[in-house]
Amino acid sequence: MTSVGKILRLALGAWAVVLLVALAAPVQAQQQPNSVNPTALSVKEQQLLQELNRIQGRVTIPDARSGVLEQPAGRDWRNFRDVTLRWVGGIAILGMLAALIIFYLTRGMVKIEGGRSGRTIVRFNAFERTVHWMTATCFIVLAISGLNITFGRPLLIPLIGLEAFSEWSQWAKYAHNYLSFPFTIGVIVIFLMWIGGNIPNKVDVEWIKRGGGLVGDDHPPANRFNAGQKFMYWVVVLGGGAVAVTGYLLMFPFYTSGIEGMQIAQVVHSIVAVLFVAAMIAHIYIGSIGMEGAFEAMGSGTVDVNWAKEHHSLWLEQQKARAAANDARSAAAAPAE
Ligand code: HEM
């Protein structure tokens, strides 16, 4: 009887142990995720990166390139985008603004020295002005939406919050993508319609030597475009060309290059773009508040003859000679009375 009792006690004890283990198991399983050590995982990732130089796996979607999770150049690129670019862009744009404010406060608006003559001459025709303003409007939207990509997060999120920032950034990105097309067309047309007047020559050397008339009240002779404008023209053509090509590489990823090529495209695109914006701020200044009588060239299309005499004397002479030749031709063609 005692041995039967012993066996029963043993069996009950064993049953109790099994029950306890079975009950404890789900609890342990539930605790499992909390017991994962995230640092231990990242240490493994770091080791992998050190040993293989990149973290890459296999993916089931058709594009096998998405299997690259980490690669060393990615860190350099991120550092460029988050740090270097912000410094270069900030210094170029704010530096240009500061320089122009100082220039305006010390030099003031460049006046028409001889005063207005009251006679005007056509400077840009309707087609030229339409192309200019179409390209300029696109450029301004592209510049604001592009700067939002670089500076928006640190500058705007604290001001307007995450939700408003993401809504605005989405529209800004649409604008940036779609306006790139008319902007590119504008740059190509500007290249073709004004190339004739923008080849550097020795008149430009003299103009530069005399400080372009910005210092003092000198008026060095200039053709239709002076050396400063020729510089701006080439900034638009070459800078616009560079941002367009690199922009399309980024807009259509992986068509022509791998991830490294796209990183280079982004670096070129963003650096050229911020310098381009700084240069255009100077252009906008001199085409508006910086010089009396300049804006109307692109506004109504005509300028005062005294303005033309002071800033584009050689061009004015050419226009007068052409007009005189036309008059003579039409007088000769007119029937004698
Ligand atoms: C609000 C913005 C702008 C204003 C007020 C402005 C004003 C002007 C004016 C007045 C001229 C004629 C200068 C002259 O008669 O000699 C001009 C020319 C020109 N503009 Fe603009 N512009 C603006 C934006 C832009 C932008 C964004 C671009 C290109 C992306 C651009 C490209 C050009 C080019 C290539 C010329 C001919 C070369 C030159 O005069 O520098 N402009 N602009």
Side-chain angles (χ1 to χ4, degrees):
M1 189 65 203
T2 40
S3 61
V4 174
K6 253 186 200 169
I7 291 168
L8 262 175
R9 271 203 306 275
L10 256 173
L12 262 173
W15 175 241
V17 169
V18 169
L19 206 69
L20 259 175
V21 170
L23 281 175
V27 177
Q28 222 183 9
Q30 274 169 10
Q31 279 174 345
Q32 205 75 31
N34 296 339
S35 62
V36 169
N37 180 350
T39 327
L41 259 185
S42 76
V43 167
K44 277 186 206 155
E45 191 179 303
Q46 190 58 36
Q47 281 168 346
L48 256 179
L49 192 64
Q50 270 161 8
E51 278 163 31
L52 304 174
N53 216 15
R54 60 205 286 127
I55 297 181
Q56 193 167 342
R58 258 174 299 175
V59 285
T60 48
I61 60 169
D63 190 353
R65 282 166 298 205
S66 63
V68 179
L69 201 62
E70 286 186 43
Q71 46 109 19
R75 272 146 225 256
D76 299 339
W77 173 75
R78 189 175 54 192
N79 189 58
F80 163 78
R81 195 201 57 183
D82 291 350
V83 183
T84 318
L85 176 61
R86 284 181 184 158
W87 275 104
V88 174
I91 291 172
I93 294 169
L94 296 179
M96 179 58 81
L97 280 172
L100 290 172
I101 290 171
I102 293 169
F103 186 74
Y104 184 71
L105 293 177
T106 51
R107 169 71 166 86
M109 184 187 244
V110 177
K111 295 275 184 193
I112 303 176
E113 224 190 308
R116 287 182 184 268
S117 68
R119 283 174 298 129
T120 56
I121 177 169
V122 175
R123 181 133 173 90
F124 294 111
N125 64 31
F127 178 74
E128 290 173 305
R129 282 178 283 137
T130 308
V131 173
H132 174 269
W133 288 119
M134 189 269 289
T135 315
T137 312
C138 292
F139 180 88
I140 290 166
V141 179
L142 287 166
I144 293 171
S145 53
L147 291 174
N148 181 58
I149 299 171
T150 302
F151 297 102
R153 288 180 70 82
L155 293 186
L156 292 183
I157 291 176
L159 292 178
I160 60 172
L162 277 172
E163 213 160 297
F165 177 72
S166 78
E167 181 81 358
W168 141 250
S169 296
Q170 192 185 349
W171 286 109
K173 187 67 182 99
Y174 280 135
H176 200 81
N177 284 2
Y178 286 109
L179 288 185
S180 69
F181 297 103
F183 174 73
T184 307
I185 294 170
V187 169
I188 294 169
V189 179
I190 282 180
F191 168 65
L192 296 173
M193 76 182 177
W194 286 334
I195 177 79
N198 280 289
I199 306 295
N201 57 30
K202 52 182 190 301
V203 177
D204 302 319
V205 179
E206 182 62 18
W207 189 90
I208 294 169
K209 274 192 197 153
R210 286 167 62 174
L214 285 175
V215 199
D217 291 322
D218 193 12
H219 295 299
N223 284 305
R224 188 181 189 201
F225 297 112
N226 61 40
Q229 290 174 302
K230 288 181 183 178
F231 174 75
M232 245 355 135
Y233 168 87
W234 287 108
V235 165
V236 171
V237 169
L238 300 177
V243 286
V245 170
T246 50
Y248 293 128
L249 286 176
L250 295 168
M251 206 192 291
F252 302 103
F254 296 121
Y255 275 89
T256 49
S257 73
I259 191 87
E260 291 83 3
M262 285 177 51
Q263 282 170 345
I264 295 169
Q266 194 276 340
V267 170
V268 174
H269 187 81
S270 55
I271 291 286
V272 173
V274 291
L275 298 179
F276 198 174
V277 170
M280 280 301 124
I281 291 174
H283 170 77
I284 293 168
Y285 167 81
I286 202 73
S288 57
I289 57 166
M291 180 183 277
E292 183 185 6
F295 187 83
E296 49 223 68
M298 272 302 163
S300 62
T302 58
V303 288
D304 192 273
V305 169
N306 278 355
W307 180 91
K309 205 181 282 172
E310 289 171 18
H311 301 297
H312 299 275
S313 54
L314 301 175
W315 171 74
L316 181 65
E317 292 312 317
Q318 281 161 17
Q319 294 305 102
K320 279 182 178 168
R322 195 174 294 171
N326 280 347
D327 286 351
R329 217 173 297 136
S330 33
E337 285 183 46

